[in-house]
Amino acid sequence: MDNAGILEQHVSGLRSRLDTLRAEERLFQRAAGLEAQREKDHAARMELAAELEAAKKNLAELRDKKSAAMQGTATAIAEKMGRMLPYGAAWFSVDDDGAVFLGWEIPQHGIVPYGGLSGGQRVLFESALAYALARQDRQNAVILIEGAELGQEIGLLLESVAANNLDTQIIACTCHELAAVSDGWTAVRVREAAQ
C-alpha cells in the first residue's frame, strides 16, 4: 500500500475516532445538563420540604391554639354547670378534631356520657347546661325545669341552686310532693279543680 493509501486510512480512522469523541462529548454535555437539572430539582424539593414542614408546624400551632381556646370555653361551661349540679361534676371537652364529649361524673358511677344519663339525670344535667349557657348580662333570665322525671331528687336540685345563689330565675315544675322547700325558693301548689 502506498503512502497516500496509508494516510487516507489513517485520516479515515482519525475521522471515525473524532466522530466517536464528538458523540461522547455530546453525551457528557447532556449528562452535565442532566446533573445540573438534578441539582436544581433537588434544591427545589428541599425547599418545598422545608415549606411543608413549616406549614405543618404552623397548622399544629393553630390546632393547639384552637384546642386551648375550645377547651378553655368547655372548662368554663363545665365549672359553671357544677354550680347548679346537686352532686358530682360536669365534663365537657373538645378534641383537636372538634369532637365533643359531654358527660357527668356521678359518685359511685364514674363519668357517664350524656347519652347514658337516665331521664332524671338528664333533667338535672340539662338544667345545669341551660344555666351555664344562659347570658348572665341579661336581666330576668329564666330557666324552666320540667322535673317529673326527678322524683325526690328535685329537692337536691333546689338545695344546690339555693346554696350557690345563682343569678338566674329558675322555675322547677314537678308532680311530686316535696318533703321540704329550701330557703330562697317559693313553692306554689297547683291542683285541678274538681268538676
Side-chain angles (χ1 to χ4, degrees):
M1 198 184 275
D2 66 353
N3 283 340
I6 293 175
L7 284 175
E8 199 173 298
Q9 280 183 336
H10 196 349
V11 168
S12 177
L14 287 173
R15 279 191 183 134
S16 176
R17 178 77 178 130
L18 182 60
D19 289 342
T20 301
L21 289 173
R22 284 183 180 156
E24 287 178 5
E25 180 185 31
R26 282 191 299 273
L27 287 175
F28 282 129
Q29 288 174 349
R30 188 177 303 154
L34 289 175
E35 180 62 22
Q37 185 61 45
R38 189 192 70 76
E39 288 176 7
K40 284 182 188 177
D41 291 346
H42 178 72
R45 186 177 65 78
M46 295 303 288
E47 187 177 319
L48 289 173
E51 288 177 17
L52 178 62
E53 285 304 311
K56 284 181 180 180
K57 183 179 177 185
N58 190 33
L59 180 60
E61 289 172 359
L62 290 173
R63 279 189 176 154
D64 289 346
K65 285 180 183 178
K66 173 188 165 191
S67 179
M70 294 296 291
Q71 192 54 51
T73 300
T75 300
I77 289 171
E79 287 173 358
K80 194 168 179 188
M81 289 175 70
R83 291 185 219 150
M84 188 165 173
L85 290 172
Y87 48 83
W91 283 80
F92 183 20
S93 64
V94 182
D95 71 14
D96 293 342
D97 296 325
V100 174
F101 175 80
L102 196 56
W104 187 3
E105 185 175 12
I106 300 173
Q108 287 87 38
H109 293 291
I111 299 171
V112 180
Y114 174 78
L117 296 174
S118 70
Q121 290 168 337
R122 279 190 183 203
V123 170
L124 293 171
F125 191 81
E126 290 168 354
S127 300
L129 181 59
Y131 169 70
L133 296 176
R135 287 181 43 190
Q136 296 306 301
D137 61 344
R138 200 168 171 190
Q139 291 184 354
N140 301 322
V142 176
I143 296 175
L144 178 62
I145 301 170
E146 194 291 302
E149 293 279 335
L150 289 177
Q152 291 304 309
E153 284 185 311
I154 190 120
L156 294 173
L157 175 65
L158 301 179
E159 288 172 19
S160 177
V161 169
N164 288 296
N165 195 23
L166 305 180
D167 294 336
T168 303
Q169 182 178 359
I170 298 174
I171 300 172
C173 303
T174 183
C175 57
H176 302 284
E177 189 64 37
L178 299 176
V181 177
S182 301
D183 289 339
W185 285 91
T186 302
V188 178
R189 289 176 177 77
V190 179
R191 301 187 192 276
E192 287 187 36
Q195 295 184 359

